[in-house]
Amino acid sequence: MIKEILKYNDIFVSNGSYKSFASNKYPQKRLAILTCMDTRLVELLPAALGIHNGDVKLIKNAGGIILDPFDNTIRSLLIAVLELGVEEIMVIGHTDCGAAVISPETIIAHLIQRGIDRETVRGLKEDGLDFEAWFKGFENTEAAVEKSVSLLKNHPLMPANVEIQGFVMDITCGRLDSVS
Ligand SMILES: [Zn+2]
């Protein structure tokens, strides 16, 4: 697939197809969105929100959640706020999320199946890697979004005038429901 993509990319560039995407690094809408890496959101989310190239900082991970107050997601949001002019943040979870149903036990079983040594897993656990926290799913998407929103609102490095709101998107139709 990467080979095919590289071929497509050559044509895209040589055709000048990039010209309609011209923009800069400062988000026109002064908005950052944290959401899930779900494949169904790749085009649905921007379309359902009416956002285009240059409009927003879009940060994605599995579940669209924040695991730890000093993780890479928070870092990205702080850079967006402090360096790139973001004034509002939307945290958007979604229905039928694949990251909600993961479990540390299953992930570890899959690691072993894929040839990772049990000793490696055990060693990392002993060194302090918390598999339970790292690969924990969530039963309630609204609660997971609320938790991330609360973590952001109460973050010691987040300026108080940043507007932060949480939502769940219905993956079947793109409707946003407010959760906070
Ligand atoms: Zn998801």
Side-chain angles (χ1 to χ4, degrees):
M1 179 48 70
I2 294 175
K3 251 188 208 167
E4 289 165 31
I5 285 179
L6 290 177
K7 248 188 228 167
Y8 181 91
N9 179 252
D10 270 345
I11 298 164
F12 177 88
V13 175
S14 55
N15 274 352
S17 305
Y18 56 88
K19 286 173 188 160
S20 61
F21 296 95
S23 184
N24 66 48
K25 63 186 168 189
Y26 299 100
Q28 293 293 305
K29 294 191 189 296
R30 297 184 172 273
L31 175 70
I33 297 171
L34 167 61
T35 192
C36 182
M37 66 184 189
D38 195 291
T39 46
R40 295 164 291 182
L41 295 178
V42 170
E43 289 189 281
L44 175 65
L45 184 131
L49 271 55
I51 55 175
H52 299 97
N53 215 41
D55 279 348
V56 302
K57 293 293 169 198
L58 187 53
I59 297 144
K60 293 187 166 192
N61 65 30
I65 54 172
I66 295 161
L67 280 182
D68 151 345
F70 297 96
D71 70 7
N72 204 16
T73 300
I74 291 268
R75 176 179 177 272
S76 300
L77 289 168
L78 286 173
I79 292 170
V81 167
L82 300 169
E83 305 303 317
L84 299 164
V86 160
E87 294 172 352
E88 296 175 273
I89 297 173
M90 295 172 86
V91 178
I92 306 180
H94 69 95
T95 56
D96 190 36
C97 183
V101 294
I102 60 166
S103 79
E105 297 75 25
T106 314
I107 294 271
I108 289 171
H110 289 163
L111 285 168
I112 307 293
Q113 273 173 25
R114 297 293 294 268
I116 310 301
D117 204 73
R118 275 179 202 281
E119 280 310 307
T120 304
V121 173
R122 195 171 302 141
L124 285 168
K125 274 186 180 173
E126 281 167 13
D127 289 344
L129 177 59
D130 187 350
F131 277 84
E132 279 298 317
W134 211 26
F135 290 119
K136 205 170 99 180
F138 43 89
E139 277 175 30
N140 182 324
T141 301
E142 285 81 4
V145 170
E146 264 174 31
K147 198 174 159 194
S148 294
V149 168
S150 160
L151 203 148
L152 279 171
K153 282 185 174 170
N154 296 305
H155 198 280
L157 303 179
M158 185 61 71
N161 61 352
V162 178
E163 174 73 23
I164 302 164
Q165 289 186 45
F167 304 86
V168 174
M169 177 169 279
D170 183 332
I171 201 108
T172 62
C173 65
R175 189 186 64 245
L176 279 184
D177 286 317
S178 183
V179 299
S180 52

